[in-house]
């Protein structure tokens, strides 16, 4: 058991350090067993562990190779299974993907982009899911630069998602623009969420004071859909996937990047999530929810 573990860690260290680049071939099981003075079964078990972790890929009748995302996967192995704590914004697609990550990435704390950044800054989270538009028009990066200054911040791109107005099937009130909300009961996300910030910004642009709106304040995007679907509200701002899930109509307004803010050092803990995003079947399930653009899913973005 110790020899197999030592061999797994040895190759993870070489991959993480760049000594074995993505695409590089590994020795055959027999050759490595001879070189390491161990058994072929021990090598096979180490290769299996590296494969299951996403550090290498193996195919019939071909040499094992370092996976495209092998560096991050190898670094995650070296973390010895430390759970990545993810705070921040609510998103139906993210919840679906996290459920497949088998506890390697877990939600922590209250939802909301601003609360997620606060948890990240205070060390109560390793990353924050977010979708915040800065006053200069740029999304996410300006906020992360401020919160993680001096800590080598990065953004991991998940997808772009569509936000708009959720209305009952058939749109009986004829809602078409933000200005129509002034006379309606509006389901709103809590203060501190990116969607509430977006709604307030859109209302102010139309000369509407957000504090004058009536209607319930609810928790997550699906709660907005439920409030509209049950008649507790006439309309709500949320993601298209929430409207689709409950058979509501949807008035599109904006597309926004949905990303995870973290540090370069902690980003290795997202390896299980990135492996899922590299799987076409996973991305197909995300796209099927409606209102998601999955181009560039999993890309690591530098923050200057």
């Amino acid at each position: 058991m110790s020899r197999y573990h030592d061999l797994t860690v040895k190759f993870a260290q070489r991959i993480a350090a760049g000594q074995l680049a993505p695409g590089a071939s590994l020795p055959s099981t027999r050759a490595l067993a001879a070189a390491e003075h161990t058994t072929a079964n021990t090598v096979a078990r180490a290769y299996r562990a590296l494969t299951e972790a996403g550090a290498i890929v193996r195919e019939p009748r071909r040499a094992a190779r370092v996976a495209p995302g092998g560096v991050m996967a190898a670094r995650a192995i070296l973390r010895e299974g430390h759970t990545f704590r993810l705070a921040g914004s609510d998103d139906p697609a993210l919840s679906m993907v996290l459920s497949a990550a088998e506890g390697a990435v877990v939600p922590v704390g209250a939802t909301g982009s601003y609360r997620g950044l606060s948890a990240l800054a205070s060390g109560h989270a390793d990353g924050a899911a977010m979708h915040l538009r800065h006053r200069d028009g740029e999304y996410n990066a300006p906020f992360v630069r401020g919160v993680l200054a001096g800590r080598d911040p990065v953004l991991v791109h998940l997808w772009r998602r569509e936000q708009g107005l959720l209305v009952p099937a058939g749109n009986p009130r004829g809602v078409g623009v933000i200005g129509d909300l002034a006379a309606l009961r509006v389901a709103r996300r809590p203060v501190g969420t990116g969607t509430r910030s977006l709604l307030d910004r859109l209302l102010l642009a139309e000369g509407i004071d957000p504090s004058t709106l009536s209607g319930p304040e609810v928790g997550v995007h699906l709660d907005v859909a439920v409030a509209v679907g049950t008649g507790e509200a006439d309309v709500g701002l949320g993601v298209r996937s929430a409207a689709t899930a409950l058979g509501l109509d949807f008035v599109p307004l904006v597309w926004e990047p949905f990303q995870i803010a973290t540090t370069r050092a902690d980003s290795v803990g997202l390896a299980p999530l990135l492996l899922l995003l590299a799987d076409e079947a996973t991305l197909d399930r995300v796209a099927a929810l409606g209102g998601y653009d999955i181009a560039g899913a999993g890309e690591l973005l530098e923050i200057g």
Side-chain angles (χ1 to χ4, degrees):
M1 176 70 73
S2 176
R3 188 72 182 101
Y4 130 76
H5 181 266
D6 290 346
L7 194 57
T8 302
V9 170
K10 179 178 180 178
F11 271 85
Q13 288 173 334
R14 293 182 64 191
I15 294 170
Q19 296 171 3
L20 289 171
S25 297
L26 276 62
S28 69
T29 300
R30 290 184 179 179
L32 184 57
E36 294 289 337
H37 306 290
T38 188
T39 67
N41 284 339
T42 298
V43 174
R45 188 170 183 182
Y47 275 6
R48 184 164 60 250
L50 290 165
T51 302
E52 291 174 351
I56 68 174
V57 291
R58 294 185 296 171
E59 298 173 0
R61 296 183 294 279
R62 293 190 62 181
R65 307 185 317 280
V66 178
V71 173
M72 293 190 71
R75 290 176 178 171
I77 291 172
L78 299 176
R79 285 165 62 104
E80 298 183 345
H82 172 69
T83 298
F84 186 97
R85 301 165 300 163
L86 181 61
S89 182
D90 162 63
D91 183 75
L94 179 59
S95 296
M96 182 185 71
V97 175
L98 289 182
S99 69
E102 299 181 347
V105 181
V106 296
V108 295
T111 60
S113 295
Y114 287 107
R115 294 189 182 96
L117 284 174
S118 178
L120 181 58
S122 64
H124 292 112
D126 302 308
M130 59 184 300
H131 59 108
L132 293 174
R133 183 181 183 274
H134 194 260
R135 61 178 178 273
D136 64 7
E138 185 178 11
Y139 271 86
N140 300 332
F143 299 93
V144 181
R145 289 190 193 102
V147 169
L148 296 179
R151 295 171 58 186
D152 200 8
V154 295
L155 282 168
V156 177
H157 182 74
L158 297 181
W159 39 68
R160 292 171 66 244
R161 66 181 195 175
E162 192 175 21
Q163 290 251 47
L165 300 175
L166 283 63
V167 295
N171 194 2
R173 298 274 189 156
V175 177
V177 295
I178 282 290
D180 295 335
L181 271 58
L184 301 176
R185 295 170 300 150
V186 183
R188 288 167 288 174
R189 299 285 311 287
V191 173
T193 63
T195 298
R196 178 62 173 267
S197 178
L198 171 63
L199 175 61
D200 289 351
R201 176 169 58 83
L202 293 174
L203 288 168
L204 290 171
E206 293 296 319
I208 301 172
D209 182 351
S211 67
T212 63
L213 293 186
S214 64
E217 183 174 289
V218 298
V220 297
H221 282 278
L222 285 177
D223 292 339
V224 174
V226 169
V228 174
T230 59
E232 186 179 4
D234 302 312
V235 61
L237 181 67
V239 293
R240 179 185 285 274
S241 58
T244 302
L246 271 71
L248 304 177
D249 279 5
F250 183 80
V251 180
L253 294 177
V254 299
W255 283 87
E256 57 185 12
F258 192 74
Q259 299 165 330
I260 294 176
T262 185
T263 65
R264 182 172 298 281
D266 284 331
S267 67
V268 299
L270 285 171
L273 180 64
L274 298 184
L275 286 173
L276 287 168
L277 294 180
D279 176 55
E280 289 188 10
T282 299
L283 293 180
D284 286 345
R285 289 195 294 273
V286 171
L289 294 175
Y292 290 100
D293 175 3
I294 56 177
E299 183 179 354
L300 188 71
L301 306 175
E302 304 283 348
I303 300 180

